[in-house]
Amino acid sequence: MRSEGGFDWTKREQEIAELEARSADPQLWDDPATAQDVMQQLAWRTADLEHWHALEEQINTTFELSELADPDDEAMIVELNTEEVQLGRQVDQLEIETLLSGKYDGQPAFLQINSGAGGVDSQDWAQMLERMYVRWAEQQGWRVAIVDEMPGDEAGIKSATLEIRGPHAYGYAKAETGVHRLVRLSPFDSAHRRHTSFARVEVMPEVDDSVDIDIDPDDLRVDVYRSGGHGGQGVNTTDSAVRLTYKPGTPDQLVVTCQNERSQIQNKATAMKVLRGRLLERELQRQREARLKLRGEYRDAAWGNQIRSYVLDDRRVKDHRTNVESSNPPAVLDGGLNEFIAAYLRDPDLNAG
């Protein structure tokens, strides 16, 4: 099997061939949304392969120049050293991408944020996280949209769902799943005391009908209501928002809402995508927990088991899974998450399956 630096050329070429075959099928365009997704996946994987080819050529050229360089030519030596540093950075980034080998890592992602107990402080914290993830996605050059948002009682939000579309969006975003803890001097406390707030983040892959996820229509309750909050002008003039309740009144109940689209049909279609993603992620999480229990390493994702703490007055952000720290909370909250995500992906116990 041909590979370079951990990159599986054969697998990527096979994926491209399969996507090219699907794109050539005239019936694909009977479903424009699926067709657009296939073409986007094809473009991402082709660009990824071309990037590796270009990097391979750059490395070979630099190596040949270094072999021919005159050791007394200081300018050439400086130029080659600079080129090697730049190539090293590119290799590091592409090596991270080789770790995105999970079955659904190449898919778009839905990222859901829910505020924890703590009233207005926790709801404000949930909105801070929402902005952080929007900024992070934008910095990657990806498309991000707010699918649903529930405003807080006084400030902030109670919950929000983001749709993130970009190369390996789920593979990267899954590193953010868990409880996030904020410690700060509360702007909502007249005494300006220190408060601790929590919010939970869930990340699900977007999957199409080719993935076997059985949803019995009898297990689904569909409610429609008037949209409000996020969505733009004119979005709340009709009962276009949709709430799906899966297995209502049972321990397996899931509730998904969508009000971002202009029509009830579009909102229901998006809500079904989110529901399918949540059901799939629930099963993937069950499998991960089973593996951890076999090794005696399982910890429940309860409110007390936060994955990361953001302590603003101490100027410290710490990921408790990898021990990666930053002394610049404003930069992290402005979307600077790649260092934390890379450490997660490099850990074989965390990035498993």
Side-chain angles (χ1 to χ4, degrees), residues 112 221 243-246 253-257 274-275 278:
Q112 189 170 65
R221 189 179 72 214
R243 179 187 300 109
L244 302 180
T245 307
Y246 175 74
Q253 175 176 304
L254 289 174
V255 179
V256 174
T257 59
V274 177
L275 177 60
R278 289 190 68 181

Side-chain angles (χ1 to χ4, degrees), residues 268-292:
K268 184 178 179 183
T270 301
M272 283 298 295
K273 285 184 180 180
V274 177
L275 177 60
R276 286 170 60 82
R278 289 190 68 181
L279 289 170
L280 175 60
E281 182 60 27
R282 176 186 278 182
E283 175 58 22
L284 295 176
Q285 182 63 26
R286 185 193 66 78
Q287 294 173 11
R288 285 192 288 265
E289 290 173 0
R291 287 195 297 269
L292 290 171

Side-chain angles (χ1 to χ4, degrees), residues 212-243:
D212 185 19
I213 300 173
D214 183 30
I215 301 177
D216 188 334
D218 292 337
D219 290 335
L220 200 61
R221 189 179 72 214
V222 181
D223 300 305
V224 297
Y225 60 98
R226 183 153 296 185
S227 299
H230 192 89
Q233 293 182 345
V235 76
N236 59 351
T237 57
T238 61
D239 291 341
S240 61
V242 172
R243 179 187 300 109

